[in-house]
Amino acid sequence: MYIDSHCHLDFPELAENLPAILDRMKENQVDHALVVSVNMPQWPGLMNLVAQHPNLYASVGVHPDYEDTPEPTADELVAMTRQPKVVAIGETGLDYSRLPEPLEWQRNRFRTHIRASRKSGIPLIIHTRSASDDTLRIMREESAGEVGGVMHCFTESWDVAEAAMEMNFYISLSGIVTFKNAASLQDVATKLPLDRLLIETDSPYLAPVPFRGKMNDPSKVIHVAEKIADLRGIPVADVARHSRENFFHLFSKAVDV
Ligand SMILES: [Zn+2]
Ligand SMILES: [Zn+2]
């Protein structure tokens, strides 16, 4: 019924509890999850994990928060997308909240990922923090809309959401939408067209209410769906159905099992 479109199940704090997490996912009808890459050294482990579970998919890419880490070229990324379970490129993007300028390397890395997306036809998973103007500018300059993708763990304004949707992007909401201080994001959640919506946990981070501050995992994506359904005054089954259809539409390489 539910799909977690963004999690980090390969991180040790989750991977070491994998059997219990997979059981909880089954109990909560969370039947698929996309395990998102953050750097190349961890990628073989991620691929090994998803290979063992038909309902887990993978992405490939280097997160903007990792400064001194192997830097794949666009062609190398394209080659890695040819593996059968790789359905997305990312997470990539810009994050000005953790590291100081000069961050030209971050912008260059982002451009490389967009070029790999256009060469391979594989959609992007974009992370943006305190950098929405530059993120949208580079998306436009590099024609990211040719393939499209998702703005993950969205926390920006409605204007940013609209600009991204105009470029063929989906908007993914995380547990942040359940937080008390998230009024403007809740407003975005009520306005988003249902055919542009994805849901995610970004686990192990950002556990939704009522688990805030605790360890997150993909089974908890139901609380994100329930909050969106509440805000919009629609059945949670509608949020589940639309976000599921959107997932398989966007990540067209993902086989529904
Ligand atoms: Zn992210
Ligand atoms: Zn992430």
Side-chain angles (χ1 to χ4, degrees):
M1 185 167 172
Y2 301 95
I3 300 182
D4 183 358
S5 72
H6 190 117
C7 66
H8 300 284
L9 265 185
D10 62 316
F11 285 14
E13 56 268 53
L14 293 180
E16 67 194 13
N17 291 312
L18 195 63
I21 291 170
L22 292 171
D23 283 350
R24 275 206 295 278
M25 286 170 65
K26 211 174 238 173
E27 277 163 30
N28 285 1
Q29 301 182 69
V30 180
D31 43 47
H32 297 79
L34 174 46
V35 186
V36 176
S37 169
V38 294
N39 62 41
M40 289 298 100
Q42 285 173 236
W43 195 63
L46 186 162
M47 290 300 284
N48 186 40
L49 185 148
V50 304
Q52 296 166 44
H53 303 281
N55 59 333
L56 301 180
Y57 310 108
S59 74
V60 63
V62 185
H63 192 292
D65 284 349
Y66 294 80
E67 187 169 9
D68 296 308
T69 195
E71 200 77 65
T73 65
D75 286 338
E76 285 166 350
L77 285 166
V78 170
M80 289 184 274
T81 65
R82 296 207 182 97
Q83 299 216 32
K85 295 201 97 180
V86 177
V87 304
I89 291 178
E91 53 186 295
T92 184
L94 301 176
D95 192 330
Y96 295 170
S97 70
R98 292 180 202 212
L99 296 165
E101 292 281 355
L103 292 172
E104 203 53 32
W105 59 267
Q106 221 182 57
R107 293 182 279 274
N108 288 336
R109 180 186 291 168
F110 185 29
R111 289 182 192 276
T112 299
H113 282 68
I114 298 173
R115 287 168 196 171
S117 168
R118 290 175 57 205
K119 278 187 170 185
S120 61
I122 298 289
L124 291 159
I125 297 170
I126 294 185
H127 168 114
T128 182
R129 277 293 165 281
S130 311
S132 57
D133 287 351
D134 279 4
T135 300
L136 291 170
R137 175 176 60 79
I138 291 174
M139 286 167 70
R140 278 192 202 99
E141 287 173 4
E142 298 288 341
S143 304
E146 256 181 35
V147 182
V150 58
M151 307 302 283
H152 110 87
C153 194
F154 191 79
T155 52
E156 305 293 333
S157 66
W158 176 246
D159 285 350
V160 174
E162 272 194 313
M165 287 189 286
E166 272 166 29
M167 277 187 271
N168 212 9
F169 275 72
Y170 290 75
I171 306 295
S172 181
L173 299 175
S174 69
I176 294 175
V177 77
T178 70
F179 295 176
K180 271 210 178 81
N181 56 357
S184 75
L185 185 62
Q186 290 166 356
D187 186 48
V188 170
T190 58
K191 282 198 220 160
L192 275 179
L194 283 172
D195 64 0
R196 290 277 124 188
L197 171 71
L198 292 175
I199 54 175
E200 67 171 79
T201 58
D202 206 8
S203 50
Y205 314 117
L206 297 169
V209 173
F211 301 99
R212 191 167 180 185
K214 302 216 173 85
M215 177 102 71
N216 198 2
D217 72 72
S219 73
K220 297 182 173 62
V221 80
I222 62 165
H223 299 283
V224 179
E226 279 167 2
K227 183 68 188 190
I228 297 167
D230 267 8
L231 288 164
R232 300 179 72 112
I234 60 174
V236 70
D238 287 1
V239 173
R241 180 169 54 84
H242 283 283
S243 57
R244 179 188 192 85
E245 285 171 4
N246 296 341
F247 181 91
F248 286 113
H249 190 256
L250 173 62
F251 302 116
S252 56
K253 249 181 90 181
V255 180
D256 187 357
V257 290

